[in-house]
Amino acid sequence: QNRTVTGTVTGKDDGLPLPGVSVVVPGSTIGTQTDAQGKYTLRVPAGTTALRFSFIGYGTEERAIPAGALNVALTISARQLGEVVVQGALGLNRNRNQQSYAAQTVSGESLSATRSTNISSELSGKVAGLEVRQSSSLGGSTNVVIRGAKSIYGNNQALYVVDGVPFSNGGLNSASINQSGQRSGTGGYDYGSPANDINPDDVESVTVLKGAAATALYGSQGANGVILITTKKAKKGLGITINAGIGTGSIDKTTFAKYQKQYGGGYGNYYDDPTGYFLYQDVNGDGKPDLIDPLTEDASYGAKFDPNLLVYQWDAFYPSSPNYLKATPWVAAANDPSKFFTRATQNNESIFITNANDNGSFKLGYTRDNQTGIMPNSNILKQNVDFSGSYNVTSKLTASANISYINTVGLGRYGTGYQSDNILNSFRQWYQVNNDVYELRDQYFASGGQNTTWNLSAPFNTTPIYWDNPYFIRYQNYNSDTRNRYFGNVAANYKVTSWLNILGRATVDNWTQLQEERRQVGSVGVSGYTRRNLGFTESNYDLIASADKDLTKDLNLKAVLGGNIRKQRYQTISASTNGGLVVPGIYAVSNSVSQPVAPVEGDQQRELDGVYGELNLTYAKVINIDGTIRRDASSTLPKGANVYYYPSVAVGFIFSNLLKDYKWLSYGKLRGNYAQVGNDATPYSTIDTYSIGTPYGSSSQTYISTTKNLPNLRPERTQSTEAGLELQFFNNRLGLDATYYVTKTKDQLIPVSVSTATGFSSTYRNAGTVQNKGIELALTGTPLKTSDFSWNLGVNYTRNRNKLIETFNDATGNPANNLLLASFQGGVTLNATLGEPLGTIRGSNYVFLNGQRVVKANGRYQLSATSNEVIGNYNPDWIGGITNTFKYKNFTLSFLVDMRKGGQVFSLDMYYGLATGLYPETAGNNDLGNPSRNTLATGGGIILPGVKADGTPNTTRVSNTVYGTYGYVYNPNAAFIYDASYVKLREASLGYSFPQKWISGLGPVKGVDVSVNGHNLWIIHKNVPYADPEETLSSGNLQGYQSGAMPTVRSFILNLRVKF
Amino acid sequence: CKKNLTDLNVNPKSPTTVPAAGEFTGAEHTFANILSSASVNLNIFRLIEQQWQETTYTDESNYDINTRPIPDAIWNAFYRDALENFEQAKKLGAADPASKVNNAMVDVMEVYSYYYLTTTFGNVPYSQALNPDNLFPVYDDALTVYKSLLTRLDADITALGSGTSSFGAADLLYGGSATQWKKAAATLKLKMAITLSDADNATAKAAAESAATAGLFTSNADNMTFAYLSAPPNTNPVWVDLVQSGRQDFVANTVLVTTLKSLNDPRLSFFFTTDANGGYSGAAPGASANYSAFSKPSTTITQQTYPGLLLSYSEMQFDLAEAVERGYNVGGTAAAHYNEGVTASITFWGGTAAQATTYLAQPTVAYATAAGTYKQKIGIQKWISFYNRGWDAWINQRRLDYPVLTAPATARTAFPVRFTYPVQEGNVNGPNFTAAGAAIGGNTVTTKLFFDKF
């Protein structure tokens, strides 16, 4: 006969209830966990005499069942802290004592708390050593770099591994699926980072392996660090979890432009009417010329606003407009472009069903996430189906399979970079502040979807000249995309003996994406349609034997011998119309004015065959020695040089186990390691090829590739040295993990930018050494803990110093002192400069005299002789994050403050926008108290701060009547470099768990939680005007540049979780 | 493991070898585009020569060559896109029995490319250029390079007289005719000789005289023109920049318009459209301009298929006129060559021989009575004839010093008499870049180049 046992579990040290303690009937699968109050209720079969209580960090206790309640007080076990199982490379579990390298784990709970669909951005500020840069674009990509950029031109993105299997984040070597132009700011759409296909609701935990020693077994692909994701596993007994969330978002106005409200459209006073500010022709047919806004002009250096002045503006030339052929008051728009942004929405639902018994387990999940963005007509729908099952075929053989299907459908992603499809380019750089966006919206719809632009070619000629109606762009020139992804594996695990295990596994990660981009007839430029098909497949075949044996009472051996075959293939094809669309609105390559040019095809293949081994010895739980070696054979290196070996060795000293008398020291470990990792080349870097161009009539045209390949490439090598200290004090109330590391990446396989007088833009070389040195600190603490209240604190600090310490020598034996990474609009370049961190920004600078800016005789700034001065660098001095979690009874409040100190960004938005007079800075009063935009004769103009060539203060007043004074026309690039530091309240979450007594009446319901979560709530500090310093072009090595930056979206989501 | 793992490393989509003819076709196309382009990122010489003026975005009209950056674009276009592919055409065609003649054609185009590089920048990489094994090519002395180019042309002229080519229709300039190419090589040699005349009169004289006997162009029919097609991407780049883009960037420049008007030049209507008042007007150099108010480049030159003129019978006659004035033995009188040059230009643009006669009869135009020295007379007329060929106009105007073009008050720098070296060269070829700047007397736009003595 069954009976019910109840009781409370507390901690012996503080007497507080312990939630989550496992309570089981020994020798059976019958069990439960304690609730938030440390209470449990368990029905046990007849004849049960005892229960076993266990909890991480505490000693396991087995107690006889008394007649009444069974209350237990568990003792903290410092010894057992070292037994905490942590994920390691290849999904091999190691306990903490056996892990002699830096790794940091974040629980899935804390990641999914804010209900973001982007797993990468959720890691920002939570892991020391990890730098995340995210774009504010809907579904945009995320740049994730661990311990600094190691490769000058190659991929620096962390490797994502899901349950032991690599998860693709892009093409073959590139971690981005975006076009190269998108990454360098010349336009295009941001199609996001494929790693974000991972379903946050299915994540149990994330472990970040930072150094080469931790990742050596992954081979070259692990050289940039690994983000190990463990998905949720079925627990015994049926479990059903349902999540439902609904959210909304709007722009953070501190990250969007503020406009001056005093002067309207135009570049100055050189047009037709007597004042020079307006076009001047008869509009209303009365035979007299009328004032017309200079419609072609995308600047706001026009006439001073005056409500009594009636001017024919853009809306006077559309018959569908209420102001058709009507002059309207010359005033600033009631609705500036900040009103263009709509409210973002999010709907997120997921259900997971799991069960497990002695014969096996299964998990089935479905997640649907639908988001609309802050731009009209934008939407991303992501659906995940996850299934996994395992079956114990015999007591020794377990077979398992899992498969995830992920479908992502995007519509109306935001245009990026310096291009007319990026509406923000107009709003931040080229605009007339008298344009009312609500009128533009109303006119777009009233005209039946025509391009009713404000930027007409001429009065009565409504052909757009430089900018389309922004609503026309959103509703007509939209892109769309669909990605279908299958990710899964089949595996068999054979437990040969109690200490030897063999795993065989075949995995596949396959995704295909269709990207379609449209430009309607009537748009600026040439109408057209482009479709791009991308297909990626990676297959991995693994055979891993692992042993775990206590050789003596004190000596434990863990050993691994494995082999891996990895095959990758990335195929792309891109086809476009040529010369425009014949029939408006039909988006097909065949609908082309001229014969379409041949589609551009790509087909990259790579195979890497690796064998590896590991020996891990632990003596008396005090000393741990770990050694690995791996041999890789790569398809992308020349025959004879394509096989390479690399070792790692790591030592750990758990000194706390020798200091058991010091009760305040819960745990202490010193660790040190050294590792090498090899890396192969991008496919096809060894043989020169030609490209075949569009035929010229009947004559073919070909061109040699602009990159010169090298037949004798060698593998690239990363050497990493790391020392760390782990300390836990006062029964784990305080913990510190500190790491110092030095990484050198040598013989970099890089397409070196060379003088094009060589006939090529770049040539492959084994050249250059990049060093990264850094400190990572992770502090955890529980400053307060009472029976009802607890306060947990987590602090992460990262300081990385990146430096190019070696390049290659020129003919005279001198090192090349600069490697060009990219040239941007605005005449600035991004570089790797010898002796400096990767990512120096070069451009024109001021000329300084005694620290003062020199002003020329004409009153404008003197510019440096070359446009090649170092004016900035995007690398931060340090980054950090502070997480606070407060629990009071059933309430949980947590928030994350995320910060970055230092690093610079060049703003093309300010470079142009200050020139065209959009911002308040351009329309203030001068030192005389007069409007600076008045002519010099009427007391206008400004005196630029600085000194004359002779060192005396500048006294020359320059005109501010026409465009340019504050912007690019007269000022060096250095004037538009801003400090990219920030302090942000990144996220906050308030949750409430329904007490057990409330839900005990709800039948099968085991738990109900509600939470409200906020993201990007407050930028506490920043120095970049009108933009988020974090906003970036895309993922990749090109950072530190903004053009048409998206404002930051502040979002809230309300979530309900029910567990059965 | 596997036997031939590295066999995977062959790109299935890109060939490792192609026919030489395709490289020649592609490179000719690139060369023609560079010189025909009106892109503010590459070819801004119509603006510098005050033929056209920008309307709103007046940076390039005010000599801002760094913001975009234009020197880098020119460097890349000639070295990487044109010259390297011409070199490939030579390499790939080595086994062709006709390679001697083919390579002479290719070589003429390489020489012509270097002509623009040396006259734009001064010292440039030459002896160590186009060699990817040397990542840091030195900059050779411009005059030395230039003389070497003349020697190459001699060899090319000889080779072109020695047989036939196998390029055929792949040669988009002369359809593979060695005879035509021989004339073009000689005409180019004359052009280069005259460009050198102030700097090295002896070399110039010898080269001009030998060119004159080698068989020059005999009419506009011999012009080196690139026949653009009607469909992108094979159209005239002017159409792309001015029409297809939908932009309103350029209007006529008042300097050219005023000159043409004062001379009653019949080409005015072929060069520009009429303005809002039915007449012809241009905007002031460097100043912001209201697009609707002024004449624009004519619809003739903004057609998709408007051919790119690369070397003309008209400029050759002006070269001969100048040769006569300099005492070179090239036959004819300066006045006769001048008249023929003017007539060839007017008829090329669509005027009649009668219009040319009337025009030449005016005292302001007639060689005997037009104002100034031969440099001024020829300078003005050559500048007009180089309408829409800003690059050549710039080279000649700097040397002859006519017409006198004044920098706008708003200009960023003085009138550029050369272009600065590309910024990227400073980054990737620093020591040679610095040495070259020092060797020519400073890497600025005001350093006069080797051929520009006055």
Side-chain angles (χ1 to χ4, degrees), chain B residues 300-342:
Chain B
T300 309
I301 64 174
T302 57
Q303 285 171 25
Q304 281 138 292
T305 55
Y306 185 72
L309 182 58
L310 303 175
L311 186 65
S312 72
Y313 174 67
S314 168
E315 65 173 303
M316 183 203 81
Q317 288 294 344
F318 289 118
D319 288 336
L320 288 173
E322 198 179 335
V324 172
E325 288 285 4
R326 287 178 183 273
Y328 301 172
N329 183 18
V330 292
T333 65
H337 288 307
Y338 172 89
N339 288 347
E340 185 65 8
V342 171

Short mmCIF file of all heavy atoms in Angstrom, two decimals, chain B residues 300-342:
data_model
loop_
_atom_site.label_atom_id
_atom_site.label_comp_id
_atom_site.label_asym_id
_atom_site.label_seq_id
_atom_site.Cartn_x
_atom_site.Cartn_y
_atom_site.Cartn_z
N THR B 300 22.79 63.69 -77.36
CA THR B 300 23.63 62.83 -78.21
C THR B 300 24.59 62.02 -77.35
O THR B 300 24.68 60.79 -77.47
CB THR B 300 24.46 63.70 -79.17
OG1 THR B 300 23.59 64.60 -79.83
CG2 THR B 300 25.19 62.84 -80.18
N ILE B 301 25.30 62.71 -76.47
CA ILE B 301 26.34 62.00 -75.73
C ILE B 301 25.78 61.21 -74.55
O ILE B 301 26.51 60.46 -73.91
CB ILE B 301 27.45 62.96 -75.24
CG1 ILE B 301 26.91 63.98 -74.24
CG2 ILE B 301 28.10 63.68 -76.40
CD1 ILE B 301 28.00 64.84 -73.64
N THR B 302 24.51 61.40 -74.25
CA THR B 302 23.94 60.61 -73.17
C THR B 302 23.17 59.40 -73.69
O THR B 302 22.43 58.77 -72.95
CB THR B 302 23.01 61.46 -72.28
OG1 THR B 302 22.00 62.03 -73.11
CG2 THR B 302 23.78 62.56 -71.58
N GLN B 303 23.34 59.08 -74.99
CA GLN B 303 22.70 57.87 -75.50
C GLN B 303 23.46 56.62 -75.02
O GLN B 303 24.67 56.65 -74.84
CB GLN B 303 22.71 57.86 -77.03
CG GLN B 303 21.70 58.80 -77.65
CD GLN B 303 21.92 58.92 -79.13
OE1 GLN B 303 22.46 58.01 -79.74
NE2 GLN B 303 21.50 60.03 -79.70
N GLN B 304 22.69 55.53 -74.90
CA GLN B 304 23.32 54.27 -74.50
C GLN B 304 24.46 53.88 -75.44
O GLN B 304 25.48 53.38 -75.03
CB GLN B 304 22.28 53.13 -74.52
CG GLN B 304 21.38 53.13 -73.31
CD GLN B 304 19.94 52.85 -73.68
OE1 GLN B 304 19.30 53.68 -74.33
NE2 GLN B 304 19.46 51.69 -73.26
N THR B 305 24.22 54.06 -76.74
CA THR B 305 25.16 53.53 -77.73
C THR B 305 26.15 54.58 -78.23
O THR B 305 26.88 54.33 -79.17
CB THR B 305 24.39 52.98 -78.95
OG1 THR B 305 23.55 54.04 -79.46
CG2 THR B 305 23.55 51.79 -78.56
N TYR B 306 26.16 55.75 -77.59
CA TYR B 306 27.11 56.77 -78.04
C TYR B 306 28.52 56.22 -77.88
O TYR B 306 28.91 55.79 -76.79
CB TYR B 306 26.93 58.06 -77.25
CG TYR B 306 27.82 59.17 -77.78
CD1 TYR B 306 27.53 59.78 -79.00
CD2 TYR B 306 28.95 59.57 -77.08
CE1 TYR B 306 28.35 60.77 -79.50
CE2 TYR B 306 29.78 60.56 -77.58
CZ TYR B 306 29.48 61.16 -78.79
OH TYR B 306 30.29 62.13 -79.29
N PRO B 307 29.31 56.20 -78.98
CA PRO B 307 30.61 55.53 -78.87
C PRO B 307 31.59 56.31 -78.01
O PRO B 307 31.52 57.53 -77.89
CB PRO B 307 31.09 55.47 -80.33
CG PRO B 307 30.27 56.44 -81.08
CD PRO B 307 29.02 56.70 -80.30
N GLY B 308 32.50 55.57 -77.42
CA GLY B 308 33.58 56.19 -76.65
C GLY B 308 34.73 56.50 -77.59
O GLY B 308 35.27 55.61 -78.24
N LEU B 309 35.10 57.79 -77.67
CA LEU B 309 36.20 58.19 -78.55
C LEU B 309 37.50 58.15 -77.75
O LEU B 309 37.62 58.81 -76.72
CB LEU B 309 35.93 59.61 -79.08
CG LEU B 309 36.95 60.18 -80.07
CD1 LEU B 309 37.09 59.29 -81.30
CD2 LEU B 309 36.54 61.60 -80.46
N LEU B 310 38.47 57.38 -78.24
CA LEU B 310 39.69 57.17 -77.47
C LEU B 310 40.92 57.82 -78.10
O LEU B 310 41.86 58.18 -77.40
CB LEU B 310 39.94 55.66 -77.30
CG LEU B 310 38.78 54.89 -76.65
CD1 LEU B 310 39.06 53.40 -76.63
CD2 LEU B 310 38.52 55.40 -75.24
N LEU B 311 40.93 57.94 -79.43
CA LEU B 311 42.07 58.57 -80.13
C LEU B 311 41.51 59.06 -81.46
O LEU B 311 40.87 58.29 -82.18
CB LEU B 311 43.18 57.53 -80.36
CG LEU B 311 44.50 58.02 -80.94
CD1 LEU B 311 45.21 58.97 -79.97
CD2 LEU B 311 45.42 56.84 -81.26
N SER B 312 41.74 60.37 -81.75
CA SER B 312 41.00 60.91 -82.89
C SER B 312 41.91 61.53 -83.95
O SER B 312 43.03 61.99 -83.68
CB SER B 312 40.02 61.98 -82.38
OG SER B 312 40.72 63.13 -82.00
N TYR B 313 41.38 61.56 -85.16
CA TYR B 313 42.03 62.22 -86.29
C TYR B 313 42.17 63.71 -86.00
O TYR B 313 43.18 64.34 -86.33
CB TYR B 313 41.18 61.97 -87.54
CG TYR B 313 41.64 62.71 -88.76
CD1 TYR B 313 42.86 62.39 -89.38
CD2 TYR B 313 40.85 63.71 -89.33
CE1 TYR B 313 43.27 63.07 -90.52
CE2 TYR B 313 41.26 64.38 -90.48
CZ TYR B 313 42.47 64.07 -91.06
OH TYR B 313 42.87 64.74 -92.19
N SER B 314 41.17 64.28 -85.36
CA SER B 314 41.19 65.70 -85.05
C SER B 314 42.35 66.05 -84.12
O SER B 314 43.14 66.96 -84.41
CB SER B 314 39.86 66.08 -84.40
OG SER B 314 39.94 67.36 -83.82
N GLU B 315 42.52 65.33 -83.03
CA GLU B 315 43.62 65.67 -82.11
C GLU B 315 44.96 65.45 -82.78
O GLU B 315 45.93 66.18 -82.53
CB GLU B 315 43.51 64.86 -80.80
CG GLU B 315 43.69 63.35 -80.95
CD GLU B 315 43.75 62.63 -79.59
OE1 GLU B 315 44.60 62.97 -78.77
OE2 GLU B 315 42.93 61.72 -79.39
N MET B 316 45.00 64.46 -83.68
CA MET B 316 46.24 64.19 -84.41
C MET B 316 46.63 65.40 -85.25
O MET B 316 47.81 65.78 -85.32
CB MET B 316 46.04 62.96 -85.29
CG MET B 316 47.26 62.54 -86.05
SD MET B 316 46.81 61.57 -87.51
CE MET B 316 46.39 62.90 -88.63
N GLN B 317 45.63 66.04 -85.90
CA GLN B 317 45.93 67.22 -86.72
C GLN B 317 46.44 68.36 -85.84
O GLN B 317 47.36 69.08 -86.24
CB GLN B 317 44.68 67.65 -87.49
CG GLN B 317 44.31 66.71 -88.64
CD GLN B 317 45.37 66.70 -89.76
OE1 GLN B 317 46.22 67.59 -89.85
NE2 GLN B 317 45.32 65.68 -90.60
N PHE B 318 45.87 68.52 -84.66
CA PHE B 318 46.39 69.55 -83.75
C PHE B 318 47.82 69.22 -83.33
O PHE B 318 48.66 70.12 -83.18
CB PHE B 318 45.48 69.72 -82.53
CG PHE B 318 44.16 70.36 -82.84
CD1 PHE B 318 42.96 69.68 -82.62
CD2 PHE B 318 44.11 71.66 -83.34
CE1 PHE B 318 41.75 70.27 -82.90
CE2 PHE B 318 42.89 72.26 -83.62
CZ PHE B 318 41.70 71.57 -83.40
N ASP B 319 48.09 67.92 -83.11
CA ASP B 319 49.45 67.51 -82.78
C ASP B 319 50.41 67.87 -83.92
O ASP B 319 51.53 68.36 -83.69
CB ASP B 319 49.51 66.00 -82.52
CG ASP B 319 48.84 65.61 -81.20
OD1 ASP B 319 48.76 66.48 -80.30
OD2 ASP B 319 48.39 64.46 -81.08
N LEU B 320 49.96 67.63 -85.15
CA LEU B 320 50.81 67.95 -86.30
C LEU B 320 51.03 69.45 -86.41
O LEU B 320 52.14 69.91 -86.70
CB LEU B 320 50.17 67.41 -87.59
CG LEU B 320 50.21 65.88 -87.76
CD1 LEU B 320 49.41 65.44 -88.98
CD2 LEU B 320 51.66 65.39 -87.87
N ALA B 321 49.96 70.23 -86.16
CA ALA B 321 50.09 71.67 -86.21
C ALA B 321 51.16 72.13 -85.22
O ALA B 321 52.03 72.96 -85.56
CB ALA B 321 48.75 72.33 -85.89
N GLU B 322 51.11 71.57 -84.04
CA GLU B 322 52.07 71.96 -83.02
C GLU B 322 53.48 71.49 -83.40
O GLU B 322 54.47 72.21 -83.18
CB GLU B 322 51.65 71.36 -81.67
CG GLU B 322 52.33 72.05 -80.52
CD GLU B 322 51.91 71.50 -79.16
OE1 GLU B 322 50.80 70.94 -79.05
OE2 GLU B 322 52.70 71.64 -78.22
N ALA B 323 53.56 70.29 -84.01
CA ALA B 323 54.86 69.77 -84.45
C ALA B 323 55.49 70.72 -85.46
O ALA B 323 56.70 71.02 -85.39
CB ALA B 323 54.68 68.37 -85.04
N VAL B 324 54.67 71.22 -86.37
CA VAL B 324 55.19 72.16 -87.37
C VAL B 324 55.71 73.41 -86.66
O VAL B 324 56.81 73.89 -86.95
CB VAL B 324 54.10 72.51 -88.40
CG1 VAL B 324 54.58 73.63 -89.32
CG2 VAL B 324 53.72 71.28 -89.21
N GLU B 325 54.89 73.92 -85.73
CA GLU B 325 55.30 75.12 -85.00
C GLU B 325 56.62 74.90 -84.26
O GLU B 325 57.40 75.82 -84.08
CB GLU B 325 54.22 75.54 -83.99
CG GLU B 325 52.98 76.14 -84.62
CD GLU B 325 53.19 77.57 -85.12
OE1 GLU B 325 54.33 78.07 -85.06
OE2 GLU B 325 52.20 78.17 -85.59
N ARG B 326 56.85 73.70 -83.82
CA ARG B 326 58.07 73.41 -83.08
C ARG B 326 59.23 73.06 -84.00
O ARG B 326 60.31 72.72 -83.54
CB ARG B 326 57.82 72.24 -82.12
CG ARG B 326 56.96 72.62 -80.93
CD ARG B 326 56.70 71.43 -80.04
NE ARG B 326 55.81 71.81 -78.94
CZ ARG B 326 56.24 72.32 -77.79
NH1 ARG B 326 57.52 72.52 -77.58
NH2 ARG B 326 55.37 72.66 -76.86
N GLY B 327 58.98 73.12 -85.30
CA GLY B 327 60.06 72.88 -86.24
C GLY B 327 60.32 71.41 -86.52
O GLY B 327 61.39 71.03 -86.99
N TYR B 328 59.34 70.57 -86.21
CA TYR B 328 59.52 69.15 -86.52
C TYR B 328 59.15 68.93 -87.99
O TYR B 328 58.22 69.55 -88.51
CB TYR B 328 58.61 68.26 -85.66
CG TYR B 328 58.81 68.38 -84.16
CD1 TYR B 328 57.92 67.75 -83.30
CD2 TYR B 328 59.88 69.10 -83.61
CE1 TYR B 328 58.07 67.82 -81.92
CE2 TYR B 328 60.03 69.19 -82.24
CZ TYR B 328 59.13 68.56 -81.40
OH TYR B 328 59.27 68.65 -80.05
N ASN B 329 59.83 68.02 -88.61
CA ASN B 329 59.62 67.76 -90.03
C ASN B 329 58.52 66.71 -90.20
O ASN B 329 58.78 65.53 -90.35
CB ASN B 329 60.93 67.29 -90.66
CG ASN B 329 60.77 67.09 -92.16
OD1 ASN B 329 59.82 67.59 -92.76
ND2 ASN B 329 61.69 66.33 -92.73
N VAL B 330 57.28 67.21 -90.15
CA VAL B 330 56.15 66.27 -90.27
C VAL B 330 55.27 66.61 -91.46
O VAL B 330 54.22 65.99 -91.67
CB VAL B 330 55.28 66.29 -88.99
CG1 VAL B 330 56.04 65.72 -87.82
CG2 VAL B 330 54.77 67.69 -88.70
N GLY B 331 55.69 67.59 -92.24
CA GLY B 331 54.93 67.95 -93.44
C GLY B 331 53.80 68.90 -93.14
O GLY B 331 53.31 69.00 -92.01
N GLY B 332 53.38 69.67 -94.18
CA GLY B 332 52.23 70.56 -94.06
C GLY B 332 52.58 71.83 -93.30
O GLY B 332 53.70 72.02 -92.82
N THR B 333 51.57 72.71 -93.20
CA THR B 333 51.74 73.93 -92.42
C THR B 333 50.92 73.81 -91.16
O THR B 333 49.94 73.05 -91.09
CB THR B 333 51.25 75.16 -93.20
OG1 THR B 333 49.83 75.03 -93.39
CG2 THR B 333 51.95 75.27 -94.55
N ALA B 334 51.29 74.64 -90.19
CA ALA B 334 50.55 74.64 -88.93
C ALA B 334 49.10 75.02 -89.18
O ALA B 334 48.16 74.40 -88.64
CB ALA B 334 51.19 75.59 -87.94
N ALA B 335 48.88 76.02 -90.02
CA ALA B 335 47.52 76.50 -90.28
C ALA B 335 46.68 75.41 -90.94
O ALA B 335 45.51 75.21 -90.58
CB ALA B 335 47.56 77.75 -91.14
N ALA B 336 47.27 74.70 -91.88
CA ALA B 336 46.51 73.66 -92.59
C ALA B 336 46.11 72.54 -91.63
O ALA B 336 44.97 72.06 -91.64
CB ALA B 336 47.35 73.10 -93.74
N HIS B 337 47.05 72.15 -90.77
CA HIS B 337 46.74 71.09 -89.80
C HIS B 337 45.69 71.58 -88.81
O HIS B 337 44.78 70.84 -88.43
CB HIS B 337 48.01 70.66 -89.06
CG HIS B 337 48.95 69.86 -89.89
ND1 HIS B 337 48.57 68.74 -90.59
CD2 HIS B 337 50.27 70.03 -90.15
CE1 HIS B 337 49.62 68.23 -91.23
NE2 HIS B 337 50.67 69.01 -90.99
N TYR B 338 45.84 72.83 -88.40
CA TYR B 338 44.88 73.43 -87.47
C TYR B 338 43.49 73.43 -88.08
O TYR B 338 42.51 72.99 -87.46
CB TYR B 338 45.36 74.85 -87.17
CG TYR B 338 44.43 75.75 -86.37
CD1 TYR B 338 44.48 75.78 -84.98
CD2 TYR B 338 43.53 76.61 -87.02
CE1 TYR B 338 43.66 76.63 -84.25
CE2 TYR B 338 42.70 77.46 -86.30
CZ TYR B 338 42.77 77.47 -84.92
OH TYR B 338 41.95 78.32 -84.20
N ASN B 339 43.41 73.88 -89.34
CA ASN B 339 42.11 73.90 -90.03
C ASN B 339 41.52 72.50 -90.14
O ASN B 339 40.32 72.28 -89.93
CB ASN B 339 42.26 74.51 -91.42
CG ASN B 339 42.51 76.01 -91.35
OD1 ASN B 339 42.34 76.63 -90.30
ND2 ASN B 339 42.94 76.58 -92.47
N GLU B 340 42.39 71.56 -90.45
CA GLU B 340 41.91 70.18 -90.62
C GLU B 340 41.44 69.63 -89.27
O GLU B 340 40.44 68.91 -89.20
CB GLU B 340 43.04 69.32 -91.20
CG GLU B 340 42.66 67.89 -91.53
CD GLU B 340 41.63 67.75 -92.66
OE1 GLU B 340 41.30 68.76 -93.31
OE2 GLU B 340 41.12 66.63 -92.85
N GLY B 341 42.17 70.01 -88.22
CA GLY B 341 41.77 69.54 -86.89
C GLY B 341 40.42 70.09 -86.48
O GLY B 341 39.55 69.35 -85.98
N VAL B 342 40.23 71.38 -86.72
CA VAL B 342 38.95 72.00 -86.37
C VAL B 342 37.82 71.39 -87.22
O VAL B 342 36.75 71.01 -86.70
CB VAL B 342 39.02 73.54 -86.58
CG1 VAL B 342 37.63 74.15 -86.44
CG2 VAL B 342 39.99 74.15 -85.57
#
